[in-house]
PDB file of all heavy atoms in Angstrom:
ATOM      1  N   GLU A 202      58.551 -34.685 -36.418  1.00  0.00           N
ATOM      2  CA  GLU A 202      57.463 -35.236 -35.609  1.00  0.00           C
ATOM      3  C   GLU A 202      56.273 -34.251 -35.638  1.00  0.00           C
ATOM      4  O   GLU A 202      55.115 -34.636 -35.609  1.00  0.00           O
ATOM      5  CB  GLU A 202      57.872 -35.536 -34.198  1.00  0.00           C
ATOM      6  CG  GLU A 202      58.828 -36.708 -34.023  1.00  0.00           C
ATOM      7  CD  GLU A 202      60.282 -36.355 -34.274  1.00  0.00           C
ATOM      8  OE1 GLU A 202      60.602 -35.183 -34.553  1.00  0.00           O
ATOM      9  OE2 GLU A 202      61.111 -37.306 -34.240  1.00  0.00           O
ATOM     10  N   ALA A 203      56.611 -32.969 -35.650  1.00  0.00           N
ATOM     11  CA  ALA A 203      55.563 -31.952 -35.732  1.00  0.00           C
ATOM     12  C   ALA A 203      54.694 -32.109 -36.988  1.00  0.00           C
ATOM     13  O   ALA A 203      53.499 -32.107 -36.931  1.00  0.00           O
ATOM     14  CB  ALA A 203      56.150 -30.498 -35.685  1.00  0.00           C
ATOM     15  N   GLN A 204      55.364 -32.311 -38.100  1.00  0.00           N
ATOM     16  CA  GLN A 204      54.645 -32.461 -39.374  1.00  0.00           C
ATOM     17  C   GLN A 204      53.749 -33.707 -39.346  1.00  0.00           C
ATOM     18  O   GLN A 204      52.647 -33.675 -39.834  1.00  0.00           O
ATOM     19  CB  GLN A 204      55.615 -32.566 -40.548  1.00  0.00           C
ATOM     20  CG  GLN A 204      56.222 -31.208 -40.888  1.00  0.00           C
ATOM     21  CD  GLN A 204      57.138 -31.299 -42.126  1.00  0.00           C
ATOM     22  OE1 GLN A 204      56.864 -32.054 -43.019  1.00  0.00           O
ATOM     23  NE2 GLN A 204      58.227 -30.580 -42.103  1.00  0.00           N
ATOM     24  N   VAL A 205      54.245 -34.802 -38.770  1.00  0.00           N
ATOM     25  CA  VAL A 205      53.463 -36.000 -38.671  1.00  0.00           C
ATOM     26  C   VAL A 205      52.184 -35.782 -37.877  1.00  0.00           C
ATOM     27  O   VAL A 205      51.110 -36.141 -38.273  1.00  0.00           O
ATOM     28  CB  VAL A 205      54.310 -37.160 -38.049  1.00  0.00           C
ATOM     29  CG1 VAL A 205      53.455 -38.342 -37.735  1.00  0.00           C
ATOM     30  CG2 VAL A 205      55.413 -37.568 -39.001  1.00  0.00           C
ATOM     31  N   SER A 206      52.363 -35.119 -36.702  1.00  0.00           N
ATOM     32  CA  SER A 206      51.213 -34.894 -35.804  1.00  0.00           C
ATOM     33  C   SER A 206      50.180 -33.996 -36.482  1.00  0.00           C
ATOM     34  O   SER A 206      48.967 -34.249 -36.395  1.00  0.00           O
ATOM     35  CB  SER A 206      51.655 -34.277 -34.504  1.00  0.00           C
ATOM     36  OG  SER A 206      52.555 -35.144 -33.831  1.00  0.00           O
ATOM     37  N   LEU A 207      50.649 -32.944 -37.149  1.00  0.00           N
ATOM     38  CA  LEU A 207      49.744 -32.045 -37.839  1.00  0.00           C
ATOM     39  C   LEU A 207      49.042 -32.703 -39.006  1.00  0.00           C
ATOM     40  O   LEU A 207      47.857 -32.552 -39.231  1.00  0.00           O
ATOM     41  CB  LEU A 207      50.519 -30.772 -38.288  1.00  0.00           C
ATOM     42  CG  LEU A 207      51.051 -29.926 -37.155  1.00  0.00           C
ATOM     43  CD1 LEU A 207      51.956 -28.790 -37.731  1.00  0.00           C
ATOM     44  CD2 LEU A 207      49.926 -29.298 -36.350  1.00  0.00           C
ATOM     45  N   ALA A 208      49.816 -33.459 -39.784  1.00  0.00           N
ATOM     46  CA  ALA A 208      49.222 -34.157 -40.946  1.00  0.00           C
ATOM     47  C   ALA A 208      48.166 -35.209 -40.481  1.00  0.00           C
ATOM     48  O   ALA A 208      47.106 -35.302 -41.077  1.00  0.00           O
ATOM     49  CB  ALA A 208      50.332 -34.907 -41.742  1.00  0.00           C
ATOM     50  N   TRP A 209      48.446 -35.854 -39.364  1.00  0.00           N
ATOM     51  CA  TRP A 209      47.482 -36.837 -38.785  1.00  0.00           C
ATOM     52  C   TRP A 209      46.181 -36.096 -38.444  1.00  0.00           C
ATOM     53  O   TRP A 209      45.081 -36.599 -38.745  1.00  0.00           O
ATOM     54  CB  TRP A 209      48.085 -37.471 -37.546  1.00  0.00           C
ATOM     55  CG  TRP A 209      47.150 -38.345 -36.775  1.00  0.00           C
ATOM     56  CD1 TRP A 209      46.783 -39.627 -37.050  1.00  0.00           C
ATOM     57  CD2 TRP A 209      46.479 -38.011 -35.567  1.00  0.00           C
ATOM     58  NE1 TRP A 209      45.930 -40.102 -36.108  1.00  0.00           N
ATOM     59  CE2 TRP A 209      45.732 -39.156 -35.186  1.00  0.00           C
ATOM     60  CE3 TRP A 209      46.457 -36.842 -34.755  1.00  0.00           C
ATOM     61  CZ2 TRP A 209      44.947 -39.150 -34.017  1.00  0.00           C
ATOM     62  CZ3 TRP A 209      45.669 -36.870 -33.631  1.00  0.00           C
ATOM     63  CH2 TRP A 209      44.905 -38.030 -33.252  1.00  0.00           C
ATOM     64  N   LEU A 210      46.255 -34.937 -37.847  1.00  0.00           N
ATOM     65  CA  LEU A 210      45.068 -34.172 -37.515  1.00  0.00           C
ATOM     66  C   LEU A 210      44.320 -33.678 -38.776  1.00  0.00           C
ATOM     67  O   LEU A 210      43.121 -33.872 -38.951  1.00  0.00           O
ATOM     68  CB  LEU A 210      45.427 -32.951 -36.700  1.00  0.00           C
ATOM     69  CG  LEU A 210      45.764 -33.186 -35.215  1.00  0.00           C
ATOM     70  CD1 LEU A 210      46.475 -31.961 -34.619  1.00  0.00           C
ATOM     71  CD2 LEU A 210      44.499 -33.475 -34.435  1.00  0.00           C
ATOM     72  N   MET A 211      45.062 -33.095 -39.725  1.00  0.00           N
ATOM     73  CA  MET A 211      44.456 -32.444 -40.886  1.00  0.00           C
ATOM     74  C   MET A 211      43.867 -33.469 -41.872  1.00  0.00           C
ATOM     75  O   MET A 211      42.994 -33.104 -42.650  1.00  0.00           O
ATOM     76  CB  MET A 211      45.477 -31.538 -41.575  1.00  0.00           C
ATOM     77  CG  MET A 211      45.820 -30.310 -40.714  1.00  0.00           C
ATOM     78  SD  MET A 211      46.805 -29.064 -41.552  1.00  0.00           S
ATOM     79  CE  MET A 211      48.391 -29.917 -41.751  1.00  0.00           C
ATOM     80  N   GLN A 212      44.335 -34.714 -41.818  1.00  0.00           N
ATOM     81  CA  GLN A 212      43.739 -35.754 -42.684  1.00  0.00           C
ATOM     82  C   GLN A 212      42.401 -36.263 -42.155  1.00  0.00           C
ATOM     83  O   GLN A 212      41.730 -36.956 -42.833  1.00  0.00           O
ATOM     84  CB  GLN A 212      44.738 -36.932 -42.879  1.00  0.00           C
ATOM     85  CG  GLN A 212      45.804 -36.568 -43.909  1.00  0.00           C
ATOM     86  CD  GLN A 212      46.791 -37.698 -44.183  1.00  0.00           C
ATOM     87  OE1 GLN A 212      47.985 -37.469 -44.340  1.00  0.00           O
ATOM     88  NE2 GLN A 212      46.306 -38.930 -44.279  1.00  0.00           N
ATOM     89  N   LYS A 213      42.118 -35.880 -40.925  1.00  0.00           N
ATOM     90  CA  LYS A 213      40.806 -36.308 -40.372  1.00  0.00           C
ATOM     91  C   LYS A 213      39.696 -35.294 -40.876  1.00  0.00           C
ATOM     92  O   LYS A 213      39.906 -34.130 -40.876  1.00  0.00           O
ATOM     93  CB  LYS A 213      40.822 -36.256 -38.847  1.00  0.00           C
ATOM     94  CG  LYS A 213      41.712 -37.314 -38.228  1.00  0.00           C
ATOM     95  CD  LYS A 213      41.686 -37.349 -36.749  1.00  0.00           C
ATOM     96  CE  LYS A 213      42.541 -38.449 -36.144  1.00  0.00           C
ATOM     97  NZ  LYS A 213      42.101 -39.803 -36.559  1.00  0.00           N
ATOM     98  N   ASP A 214      38.603 -35.883 -41.265  1.00  0.00           N
ATOM     99  CA  ASP A 214      37.499 -35.104 -41.811  1.00  0.00           C
ATOM    100  C   ASP A 214      36.967 -34.160 -40.702  1.00  0.00           C
ATOM    101  O   ASP A 214      36.637 -34.593 -39.584  1.00  0.00           O
ATOM    102  CB  ASP A 214      36.401 -36.044 -42.261  1.00  0.00           C
ATOM    103  CG  ASP A 214      35.239 -35.291 -42.885  1.00  0.00           C
ATOM    104  OD1 ASP A 214      35.475 -34.303 -43.640  1.00  0.00           O
ATOM    105  OD2 ASP A 214      34.083 -35.598 -42.595  1.00  0.00           O
ATOM    106  N   GLY A 215      36.945 -32.873 -41.019  1.00  0.00           N
ATOM    107  CA  GLY A 215      36.360 -31.883 -40.108  1.00  0.00           C
ATOM    108  C   GLY A 215      37.309 -31.396 -39.035  1.00  0.00           C
ATOM    109  O   GLY A 215      36.855 -30.865 -38.015  1.00  0.00           O
ATOM    110  N   VAL A 216      38.614 -31.566 -39.177  1.00  0.00           N
ATOM    111  CA  VAL A 216      39.600 -31.147 -38.209  1.00  0.00           C
ATOM    112  C   VAL A 216      40.527 -30.123 -38.815  1.00  0.00           C
ATOM    113  O   VAL A 216      41.058 -30.315 -39.934  1.00  0.00           O
ATOM    114  CB  VAL A 216      40.405 -32.322 -37.611  1.00  0.00           C
ATOM    115  CG1 VAL A 216      41.428 -31.797 -36.580  1.00  0.00           C
ATOM    116  CG2 VAL A 216      39.472 -33.272 -36.909  1.00  0.00           C
ATOM    117  N   VAL A 217      40.813 -29.024 -38.063  1.00  0.00           N
ATOM    118  CA  VAL A 217      41.727 -27.957 -38.449  1.00  0.00           C
ATOM    119  C   VAL A 217      42.741 -27.872 -37.315  1.00  0.00           C
ATOM    120  O   VAL A 217      42.418 -28.050 -36.152  1.00  0.00           O
ATOM    121  CB  VAL A 217      40.945 -26.658 -38.623  1.00  0.00           C
ATOM    122  CG1 VAL A 217      41.880 -25.444 -38.641  1.00  0.00           C
ATOM    123  CG2 VAL A 217      40.053 -26.665 -39.811  1.00  0.00           C
ATOM    124  N   ALA A 218      43.998 -27.566 -37.632  1.00  0.00           N
ATOM    125  CA  ALA A 218      45.038 -27.465 -36.605  1.00  0.00           C
ATOM    126  C   ALA A 218      45.604 -26.045 -36.563  1.00  0.00           C
ATOM    127  O   ALA A 218      45.810 -25.443 -37.615  1.00  0.00           O
ATOM    128  CB  ALA A 218      46.183 -28.419 -36.901  1.00  0.00           C
TER     129      ALA A 218
END
Side-chain angles (χ1 to χ4, degrees):
E202 290 82 4
Q204 286 183 37
V205 169
S206 299
L207 294 171
W209 173 79
L210 285 164
M211 292 188 290
Q212 280 181 220
K213 291 185 179 296
D214 182 41
V216 178
V217 165

